[in-house]
Amino acid sequence: MRYIIIGAGAIGGTVGGRLAESGHDVVLVARGAHYEAVREGGLRVRTSEGELTHRLPVVQDPTELGELRADDVLFLAVKTQDCAAALDTWGARPVAGGGTAGELLPLVCAQNGVESERIALRRFRRVYGMCVWLPATHVEPGSVSAAGAPYTGMLHIGRYPRGTDDTARHISADLEKSKLLAPVVADVMRWKYGKLLANLANAVEAVTGVLSGDEAIALYRRARAEGEAVLAAAGIEAVGEQEQKEARGDRIRFEPFDGSERGGGSSWQSLSRGTGTIEADYLNGEIALLGRLHGVPTPVNDALRSVANAFARERRAAGSMPVAELLELVARAEERQERQERVS
């Protein structure tokens, strides 16, 4: 198999680097300054074992590859808000021997949230969900860092919407050889909904700084409580915190390179790079959507989604809002919700 990593940022770059390190054929897809840096100097992957530079093929779009190969695996690691554009670009590409990527090739969705698989299934026949637990950072062009040890991360994989097959098992085996735990599960979306609940903290972390302190943690717990209520109303099962913890066990530890605390997560990194977009619509916004569909109020997640989007749109600095200010915005959203309920 050849792995085409569409989105060679924190997750894609780490997975691509680890696969290349274990001898697999890898092509990276990147944009802008990151593309230029990788093309000129290779992809630097820093782990607890040290730093390696991988001189890998890197492209900006599929036309640079020509026909795709019948043994290609498309590993989609762009943020969910960028999924549709990426899939439209890749889905119609011809595959050697006839047919298109959307008709023939396996596509692995390695994003937070639960929407990318639905977006993909409109365009691709063979879609695989992947629940990503991989503490990695990408804030500098040409470089990614991952501090998990002795395994770099855990990537549950399965067919979407459910089931397993030989392709999932083959991908899992390649990842396991590359210091990435990759359990094959028939209920991958159950794992992704569990991760969605955890990712409701991303907006808090992105706008106020690394998630810590009693007030910030309590705010996340309120957002999660809304999420759990919404999933219960929708009849959606999600893996619980204890089951996730037991799955990882002591097989993945966070080992910082210089004694520092872990940096911010994916939403914080988006703000730090000034991308102008953030994934909040598909995290807190997913809970808001389900809440509206099933009659469950979600004022905390509504407020977090709105604030995170404003930060991204205005390119405000990550972590620049005091927790007290964010709590005040959430309180106003709750008051508005209460007024609307009294009127109705």
Side-chain angles (χ1 to χ4, degrees):
M1 286 179 166
R2 179 176 68 169
Y3 290 89
I4 299 177
I5 311 295
I6 305 171
I11 301 304
T14 299
V15 171
R18 280 305 203 187
L19 285 167
E21 186 181 345
S22 61
H24 294 95
D25 196 357
V26 174
V27 175
L28 303 177
V29 182
R31 299 178 298 183
H34 189 44
Y35 164 78
E36 296 293 343
V38 173
R39 186 183 65 169
E40 293 297 324
L43 176 69
R44 290 179 287 119
V45 180
R46 192 181 187 198
T47 70
S48 59
E49 302 159 16
E51 183 177 299
L52 289 176
T53 298
H54 300 281
R55 301 280 181 168
L56 300 171
V58 58
V59 300
Q60 296 186 90
D61 65 71
T63 60
E64 299 172 52
L65 285 177
E67 273 192 333
L68 299 178
R69 292 173 13 185
D71 67 341
D72 280 339
V73 174
L74 303 183
F75 189 97
L76 186 68
V78 300
K79 295 291 194 300
T80 304
Q81 62 267 27
D82 298 320
C83 272
L87 293 172
D88 285 340
T89 298
W90 286 87
R93 294 304 303 170
V95 176
T100 66
E103 294 167 340
L104 300 173
L105 298 184
L107 175 81
V108 179
C109 293
Q111 293 90 5
N112 290 331
V114 295
E115 183 65 16
S116 60
E117 288 81 4
R118 295 184 74 248
I119 296 171
L121 202 60
R122 292 184 173 94
R123 299 159 172 85
F124 281 77
R125 293 177 182 173
R126 301 173 62 194
V127 175
Y128 297 77
M130 177 171 280
C131 180
V132 176
W133 194 88
L134 199 169
T137 304
H138 165 57
V139 292
E140 177 188 352
S143 176
V144 297
S145 300
Y151 289 94
T152 303
M154 177 171 279
L155 312 171
H156 287 78
I157 184 172
R159 284 295 297 260
Y160 179 77
R162 64 190 64 82
T164 64
D165 61 14
D166 287 342
T167 298
R169 286 183 282 273
H170 193 154
I171 295 169
S172 169
D174 287 349
L175 292 170
E176 297 262 355
K177 294 173 186 174
S178 308
K179 299 185 179 180
L180 292 158
L181 295 169
V184 178
V185 293
D187 57 349
V188 69
M189 296 311 293
R190 177 172 168 266
W191 287 89
K192 295 202 72 166
Y193 274 104
K195 180 75 186 311
L196 169 65
L197 292 174
N199 286 142
L200 299 180
N202 284 25
V204 179
E205 177 189 64
V207 304
T208 67
V210 175
L211 187 67
S212 61
D214 292 343
E215 290 183 321
I217 292 173
L219 180 55
Y220 157 61
R221 285 292 168 188
R222 289 162 61 191
R224 185 184 177 99
E226 285 184 356
E228 290 171 345
V230 161
L231 295 188
I236 296 172
E237 186 179 359
V239 170
E241 292 175 286
Q242 186 59 33
E243 187 174 354
Q244 294 178 66
K245 184 177 179 180
E246 289 173 356
R248 292 193 296 271
D250 60 358
R251 292 180 289 176
I252 305 174
R253 302 183 305 275
F254 175 67
E255 294 190 356
F257 312 112
D258 55 5
S260 63
E261 294 184 358
R262 179 182 172 186
S266 55
S267 297
W268 181 90
Q269 292 172 46
S270 292
L271 294 182
S272 295
R273 295 197 305 273
T275 62
T277 66
I278 199 167
E279 59 195 338
D281 281 348
Y282 301 99
L283 301 178
N284 308 94
E286 179 70 25
I287 299 305
L289 168 64
L290 289 172
R292 290 164 190 152
L293 288 173
H294 298 280
V296 179
T298 59
V300 175
N301 282 285
D302 282 331
L304 293 177
R305 183 199 68 82
S306 178
V307 172
N309 279 335
F311 259 67
R313 185 173 58 251
E314 297 164 11
R315 288 178 165 79
R316 295 172 64 180
S320 60
M321 175 177 282
V323 174
E325 184 177 343
L326 179 58
L327 287 170
E328 177 60 30
L329 293 174
V330 170
R332 292 176 191 169
E334 291 176 314
E335 290 172 1
R336 287 194 296 271
Q337 179 69 48
E338 290 174 2
R339 288 197 299 270
Q340 291 172 359
E341 289 177 355
R342 286 196 297 269
V343 170
S344 61

